[in-house]
Amino acid sequence: MKNNPRVSIIIVHFFGMDYIINCLDSIFKSDYQNFEVIVVFNGNKDNSYEIVKQKFPQIITVLNKKNLGFTRANNQGIKTSGGEYIFLLNDDTTIHPQLISVLVEKLKKADNIGIVGPKIYYMDEPFRIWFAGGKINWKNQATYHLGRDIDDKDWKDAEKEVDFITGCALMIKRGVINKIGLLDEKFFAFYEDADWCLKARKAGHGVVYVPFGGVWHVKSATAGKIFFGEERDRNSAWLAITYFQRDALKEFRRYKNKIIFFNRYLSGGHKIIFLLKSIFVSTPALIWSIIYKIPSSILGLGSKKL
């Protein structure tokens, strides 16, 4: 239906039963009714599939035997979906009842807009901004969130074109996906959203931040566990090693994906400078940061929750 297009909401889930339950509860309180929900269970080690499916029998599920990462799992959800619009949503979020309506309305209004995303707050500080649009600093080869850590009342907000929308809450037209392709699975996690948005922009589709505070996000609540290592018993003799491995793997993937991303889009002298900087500055810094974390990881086990 053109006036009420079907939205496919894709959620990848690995760990955190309370998070996914709260997320789905908020979705089904939405004032927008023409949607389907697809949950990709990404190698779960608990009984979350049975519990979630029992509580929300209307959802569509994809069940993976092992963790396939953020990009591949979302792609599975997209391939399974039937909606005209695709809404990627993190499982550790809750949404405003009007969020889907607001984003759909923005996509409907302009043929040249391909991707939209809302303002996102921290879950435990509901008026402190986590995301108000994504910016890429090509000179310094960095991506960052506009408005991050600023109180909402102190942020001058406006709808605007941005470099990227975070994959935490990103709505895209299926026609755009048909043109630019699915998420690039080389990324596994990190930089895949910026890459997707740049492809959309190069194909002539606007990427727009909508200043509607419609999402609350538990920052990093599941990312470390979902994509970088499975949960283990806290009494395990290998706990410290597991903790360090997860930290190290997360940093390594972030670093690797940064090289893939900027090497893909930089050109000429900027690319040469970036590669030299990566070899002689960033790589030693990465190695040092990992080594530095060994004692802090072990000492922090008593106070940090994995």
Side-chain angles (χ1 to χ4, degrees):
M1 298 169 56
K2 189 166 183 60
N3 293 329
N4 189 25
R6 190 157 181 79
V7 176
S8 297
I9 304 170
I10 314 295
I11 302 171
V12 176
H13 177 64
F14 175 74
F15 177 85
M17 182 75 71
D18 290 341
Y19 297 130
I20 184 68
I21 295 296
N22 291 337
C23 180
L24 291 169
D25 273 334
S26 71
I27 289 170
F28 286 106
K29 292 175 183 175
S30 173
D31 67 359
Y32 193 89
Q33 296 299 307
N34 190 18
F35 67 85
E36 62 180 2
V37 179
I38 300 165
V39 179
V40 182
F41 292 85
N42 207 22
N44 302 71
K45 303 298 181 182
D46 57 16
N47 60 344
S48 60
Y49 173 80
E50 291 78 11
I51 294 173
V52 171
K53 189 64 176 172
Q54 182 178 18
K55 184 172 177 60
F56 302 98
Q58 67 270 54
I59 67 172
I60 300 166
T61 59
V62 177
L63 189 59
N64 292 327
K65 293 182 179 180
K66 63 180 182 179
N67 178 3
L68 300 180
F70 183 79
T71 52
R72 187 173 175 186
N74 269 298
N75 285 344
Q76 288 178 309
I78 294 169
K79 292 175 184 176
T80 304
S81 68
E84 185 178 344
Y85 296 165
I86 307 297
F87 185 32
L88 305 188
L89 186 66
N90 275 17
D91 67 342
D92 56 356
T93 62
T94 59
I95 68 171
H96 191 283
Q98 296 175 0
L99 174 68
I100 299 174
S101 295
V102 169
L103 296 182
V104 167
E105 197 60 31
K106 175 51 57 179
L107 283 180
K108 282 168 52 180
K109 278 186 176 180
D111 291 338
N112 65 323
I113 296 177
I115 295 176
V116 294
K119 184 189 299 179
I120 302 174
Y121 301 110
Y122 290 91
M123 185 76 76
D124 58 350
E125 297 180 75
F127 296 103
R128 187 159 69 99
I129 298 169
W130 181 74
F131 179 84
K135 182 72 175 175
I136 301 172
N137 186 323
W138 295 105
K139 182 178 179 181
N140 295 324
Q141 295 88 51
T143 61
Y144 59 93
H145 293 187
L146 297 169
R148 187 156 186 168
D149 292 330
I150 297 176
D151 193 281
D152 199 23
K153 69 181 185 331
D154 299 323
W155 177 246
K156 294 182 180 179
D157 223 348
E159 180 181 305
K160 55 184 173 286
E161 286 247 9
V162 292
D163 292 335
F164 69 93
I165 295 296
T166 173
C168 175
L170 178 155
M171 187 176 288
I172 182 172
K173 293 175 179 175
R174 182 176 294 277
V176 176
I177 298 176
N178 292 340
K179 186 183 294 186
I180 67 174
L182 296 167
L183 290 163
D184 190 338
E185 295 179 8
K186 292 187 184 74
F187 289 105
F188 192 84
F190 296 131
Y191 288 91
E192 76 293 325
D193 45 13
D195 178 72
W196 221 21
C197 289
L198 281 183
K199 287 178 179 176
R201 293 176 64 197
K202 285 179 176 291
H205 300 282
V207 175
V208 174
Y209 160 72
V210 180
F212 177 78
V215 178
W216 290 265
H217 174 46
V218 184
K219 178 181 174 292
S220 300
T222 58
K225 302 177 186 73
I226 291 176
F227 306 121
F228 306 106
E230 65 185 61
E231 190 77 355
R232 292 178 182 243
D233 187 346
R234 284 188 63 85
N235 296 319
S236 168
W238 292 99
L239 184 59
I241 295 175
T242 302
Y243 187 72
F244 167 66
Q245 283 178 334
R246 186 158 55 234
D247 265 6
L249 183 56
K250 180 178 179 180
E251 292 306 314
F252 171 75
R253 287 195 186 278
R254 193 194 303 271
Y255 174 68
K256 177 182 72 72
N257 290 354
K258 179 178 181 178
I259 291 177
I260 294 172
F261 177 79
F262 283 104
N263 184 59
R264 177 174 292 176
Y265 292 106
L266 287 172
S267 60
H270 291 294
K271 177 180 286 190
I272 294 172
I273 292 171
F274 170 67
L275 294 176
L276 289 173
K277 182 180 175 182
S278 298
I279 294 170
F280 295 108
V281 179
S282 301
T283 299
L286 172 69
I287 295 171
W288 169 247
S289 70
I290 291 174
I291 293 173
Y292 177 80
K293 283 179 180 176
I294 295 176
S296 62
S297 295
I298 295 172
L299 292 173
L301 288 174
S303 60
K304 291 185 179 181
K305 185 178 180 181
L306 296 184

